């Protein structure tokens, strides 16, 4: 063996030990939550909820129980929530089927190695491998969890809780953030704190608000913000991986026939908030609203936005004057997902919004607003007043043109991800969640 080949061999061995050692190859494909519908893994569905347990595996084929939960969706398309004044627990059928959802964290995905050794020697009667793959991923490209079915005497559930909902304090606590509801309106937040390595809270967001300005043709202009809305927490469910709260709200103006009824079911995971909103719009904005009618939802970031590394695929909400030759430029392809990321010294935030197919067809898509001012300037502005952008206490917002909202139902999926460290690879993995595929195999 030559000296050169010796060193090449030594480097190869060192690389294998450092980067692809068995312990290093234990999944953890990404840090986002994974939500699977029963209908998409139907061979593993249709059994009573109490039969299910979830495991990861290591390189030796040793199974480890991991936190998971199954959330039922009833025939009306609502989550079955078992707590609160208006819970709907009676709509549960007790089975994992239909649109019911199995959720767990990407952190808990292990190696794709069918288990040979089970905790306390209790092997499930049936085992399904859920393989999760993305050949284009940075880092880990494949992992798996193992869904076990016990038809009698199932072992105790893994008792680790990633999310804690304290209804008395209106807070959601995780290892990465604390989310505090505004008691007067559950649609906005009182504050969001990131948590450092010592679990010390670091303020990320001071408050949030929304604003609507509807200028009706030949009639009047109606403006509203979060103080114009009546909202209440109807029901909730809290589990080890996910807390779901249902918020209902109605706003009415000037005692006239202008009411928009809306409800949403917000999901909280250890590093993210998912808000699928359903808006019932009674007005044909395309034909009945004047130009300038708009809606935004915004945050008062503690720090000045310019102190973050900011990236987005959205256009600016503040119109930029177009040059005479602008029409010669090629119109960029319209994305299906709109996102923005803010990367600070020791924390990160990623915002994603998915308009419905109808909204995309009507080019009813969000725009981003940034105001390079910090919390000192924001606190000088009154969050109780109905104020447009540049006057309200928000330095980051998503804005919509209401003249592009047609009459009827509109659905949007809004997600916030929080991370209490700086690692741009995590942000990149959030952007590529759609690229992951799931394959179910009975083993």
């Amino acid at each position: 063996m030559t000296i050169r080949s010796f060193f090449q061999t030594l480097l190869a061995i060192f690389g294998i030990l450092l980067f692809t050692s068995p312990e290093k190859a234990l999944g953890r494909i990404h840090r986002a939550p994974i939500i699977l519908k029963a209908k998409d893994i139907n061979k593993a569905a249709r059994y009573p909820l109490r039969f299910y347990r979830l495991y990861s595996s290591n390189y030796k084929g040793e199974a480890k129980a991991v936190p998971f939960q199954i959330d039922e969706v009833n025939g009306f398309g609502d989550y079955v929530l078992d707590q609160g004044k208006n819970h709907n627990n009676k709509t549960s059928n007790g089975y994992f089927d239909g649109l019911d959802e199995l959720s767990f964290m990407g952190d808990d995905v292990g190696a794709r190695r069918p288990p040979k050794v089970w905790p306390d020697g209790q092997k499930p009667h049936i085992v399904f491998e859920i393989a999760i793959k993305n050949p284009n991923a940075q880092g880990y490209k494949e992992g798996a969890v193992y869904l076990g079915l016990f038809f009698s005497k199932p072992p105790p559930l893994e008792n680790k809780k990633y999310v804690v909902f304290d209804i008395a304090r209106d807070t959601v606590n995780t290892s990465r953030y604390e989310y505090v509801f505004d008691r007067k309106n559950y649609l906005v937040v009182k504050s969001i704190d990131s948590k450092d390595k010592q679990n010390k809270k670091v303020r990320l967001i001071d408050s949030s608000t929304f604003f609507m300005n509807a200028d009706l043709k030949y009639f009047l202009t109606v403006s509203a913000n979060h103080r114009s809305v009546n909202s209440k927490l109807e029901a909730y469910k809290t589990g080890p991986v996910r807390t779901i709260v249902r918020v209902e709200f109605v706003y009415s103006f000037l005692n006239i026939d202008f009411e928009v009824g809306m409800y949403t079911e917000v999901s909280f995971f250890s590093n993210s908030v998912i808000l699928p909103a359903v808006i019932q719009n009674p007005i044909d904005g395309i034909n009945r609203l004047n130009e300038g009618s708009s809606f935004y939802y915004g945050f008062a970031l503690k720090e000045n936005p310019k102190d973050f590394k900011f990236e987005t695929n959205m256009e600016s909400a503040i119109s930029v004057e177009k040059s005479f030759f602008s029409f010669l430029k090629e119109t960029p392809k319209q994305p299906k997902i709109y996102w923005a990321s803010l990367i600070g010294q020791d924390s990160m935030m990623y915002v994603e919004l998915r308009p419905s197919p109808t909204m995309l067809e009507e080019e009813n898509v969000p725009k981003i607003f940034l105001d390079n001012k910090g919390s000192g300037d924001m606190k000088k502005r009154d969050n109780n007043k109905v104020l447009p952008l540049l006057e309200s206490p928000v330095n980051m917002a998503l804005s919509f043109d209401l003249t592009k909202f047609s009459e009827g139902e509109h659905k949007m999926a809004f997600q916030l991800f929080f991370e209490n460290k700086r690692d741009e690879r995590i942000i990149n993995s959030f952007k590529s969640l759609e690229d992951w595929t799931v394959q179910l195999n009975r083993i």
Side-chain angles (χ1 to χ4, degrees):
M1 177 182 290
T2 65
I3 294 177
R4 181 179 179 181
S5 61
F6 170 79
F7 277 107
Q8 287 176 334
T9 303
L10 188 64
L11 286 171
I13 294 172
F14 178 77
I16 292 171
L17 292 174
L18 182 62
F19 297 110
T20 59
S21 67
E23 291 297 338
K24 292 284 184 181
L26 297 185
R28 294 198 174 188
I29 54 174
H30 55 65
R31 289 166 67 92
I34 298 171
I35 305 171
L36 304 176
K37 293 187 181 298
K39 70 179 183 65
D40 296 328
I41 52 171
N42 57 4
K43 290 182 180 179
R46 74 180 181 274
Y47 297 100
L49 301 177
R50 65 183 185 277
F51 287 1
Y52 290 91
R53 296 295 184 269
L54 192 69
Y55 300 89
S56 64
S57 180
N58 64 15
Y59 75 102
K60 294 180 180 179
E62 297 169 333
K64 175 186 175 183
V66 297
F68 76 101
Q69 70 187 74
I70 295 175
D71 298 299
E72 291 182 89
V73 178
N74 62 26
F76 301 102
D78 298 327
Y79 287 110
V80 176
L81 306 181
D82 59 357
Q83 299 179 71
K85 293 181 179 179
N86 292 314
H87 68 77
N88 58 352
N89 202 39
K90 290 183 179 180
T91 63
S92 165
N93 68 1
Y95 286 80
F96 179 41
D97 57 13
L99 297 177
D100 295 351
E101 295 177 350
L102 167 71
S103 59
F104 51 95
M105 294 302 297
D107 304 79
D108 286 328
V109 173
R112 191 175 182 184
R113 186 69 58 88
K116 298 177 180 178
V117 180
W118 298 89
D120 299 322
Q122 287 187 273
K123 181 181 178 181
H125 296 99
I126 296 177
V127 180
F128 290 95
E129 178 186 72
I130 302 175
I132 304 164
K133 298 186 289 184
N134 180 1
N136 300 317
Q138 295 182 356
Y140 299 116
K141 300 179 183 296
E142 182 182 63
V145 290
Y146 293 86
L147 189 62
L149 282 157
F150 292 86
F151 298 133
S152 63
K153 297 181 180 180
L157 290 164
E158 169 59 41
N159 60 10
K160 184 186 297 183
K161 285 183 70 71
Y162 292 151
V163 182
V164 177
F165 178 41
D166 186 342
I167 191 170
R169 297 178 57 241
D170 290 314
T171 61
V172 173
N173 255 300
T174 81
S175 61
R176 295 179 177 114
Y177 68 88
E178 181 182 81
Y179 183 109
V180 183
F181 293 98
D182 186 317
R183 286 186 176 229
K184 295 181 180 179
N185 191 305
Y186 283 97
L187 291 176
V188 294
V189 298
K190 188 175 181 181
S191 64
I192 299 177
D193 293 332
S194 178
K195 294 183 178 180
D196 62 18
K197 293 179 181 179
Q198 286 73 43
N199 207 38
K200 180 181 177 182
K201 292 187 290 187
V202 179
R203 183 56 49 86
L204 181 62
I205 293 173
D206 277 325
S207 62
S208 72
T209 187
F210 64 82
F211 167 87
M212 186 190 74
N213 179 65
D215 184 6
L216 283 79
K217 292 181 179 179
Y218 317 115
F219 196 42
L220 50 79
T221 299
V222 179
S223 297
N225 73 349
H226 64 284
R227 294 296 179 232
S228 311
V229 176
N230 296 317
S231 75
K232 56 184 177 180
L233 192 154
E234 289 284 302
Y236 64 95
K237 175 186 176 181
T238 182
V241 172
R242 181 188 202 182
T243 289
I244 306 174
V245 299
R246 179 184 301 122
V247 178
E248 292 191 355
F249 49 96
V250 174
Y251 29 94
S252 57
F253 310 103
L254 305 177
N255 295 319
I256 63 174
D257 188 19
F258 188 90
E259 293 191 356
V260 180
M262 176 177 171
Y263 79 93
T264 188
E265 294 167 318
V266 189
S267 291
F268 296 89
F269 292 89
S270 62
N271 65 346
S272 55
V273 181
I274 301 177
L275 192 157
V278 180
I279 302 174
Q280 298 288 348
N281 181 29
I283 291 179
D284 181 4
I286 298 172
N287 296 309
R288 295 188 60 187
L289 292 178
N290 289 319
E291 185 177 351
S293 298
S294 63
F295 170 88
Y296 73 76
Y297 189 99
F299 299 100
L301 300 175
K302 175 72 173 179
E303 304 298 330
N304 192 316
K306 71 178 182 181
D307 295 331
F308 293 88
K309 178 181 177 181
F310 174 77
E311 293 181 341
T312 186
N313 68 342
M314 289 182 270
E315 294 182 10
S316 172
I318 304 300
S319 56
V320 178
E321 185 176 352
K322 295 183 179 180
S323 70
F324 178 76
F325 297 101
S326 295
F327 71 94
L328 295 176
K329 295 182 180 179
E330 183 178 352
T331 303
K333 184 180 179 180
Q334 181 175 277
K336 294 181 179 180
I337 299 174
Y338 290 81
W339 59 266
S341 61
L342 291 93
I343 301 173
Q345 292 300 315
D346 50 15
S347 63
M348 304 185 299
M349 185 168 79
Y350 175 74
V351 182
E352 181 180 284
L353 195 144
R354 304 183 185 202
S356 66
T358 301
M359 294 175 68
L360 290 172
E361 184 179 339
E362 296 171 348
E363 297 185 358
N364 183 8
V365 296
K367 294 186 178 182
I368 192 76
F369 166 80
L370 289 180
D371 190 1
N372 288 328
K373 293 180 173 61
S375 61
D377 291 298
M378 296 298 102
K379 289 179 179 179
K380 295 176 183 177
R381 303 173 182 179
D382 191 345
N383 199 27
N384 292 311
K385 291 185 177 180
V386 182
L387 298 169
L389 291 173
L390 293 174
E391 295 180 30
S392 69
V394 300
N395 48 13
M396 176 181 173
L398 295 179
S399 176
F400 284 89
D401 181 351
L402 288 184
T403 64
K404 293 186 177 181
F405 268 97
S406 59
E407 185 176 358
E409 182 178 278
H410 298 272
K411 296 181 180 180
M412 292 182 286
F414 177 69
Q415 299 187 69
L416 277 172
F417 289 89
F418 305 103
E419 285 295 343
N420 52 1
K421 66 178 181 178
R422 183 189 179 108
D423 188 340
E424 295 188 32
R425 293 173 299 179
I426 297 174
I427 296 291
N428 290 333
S429 72
F430 291 156
K431 295 176 185 177
S432 61
L433 292 178
E434 287 291 305
D435 298 333
W436 289 91
T437 61
V438 172
Q439 180 181 337
L440 182 78
N441 301 297
R442 180 171 174 174
I443 60 173

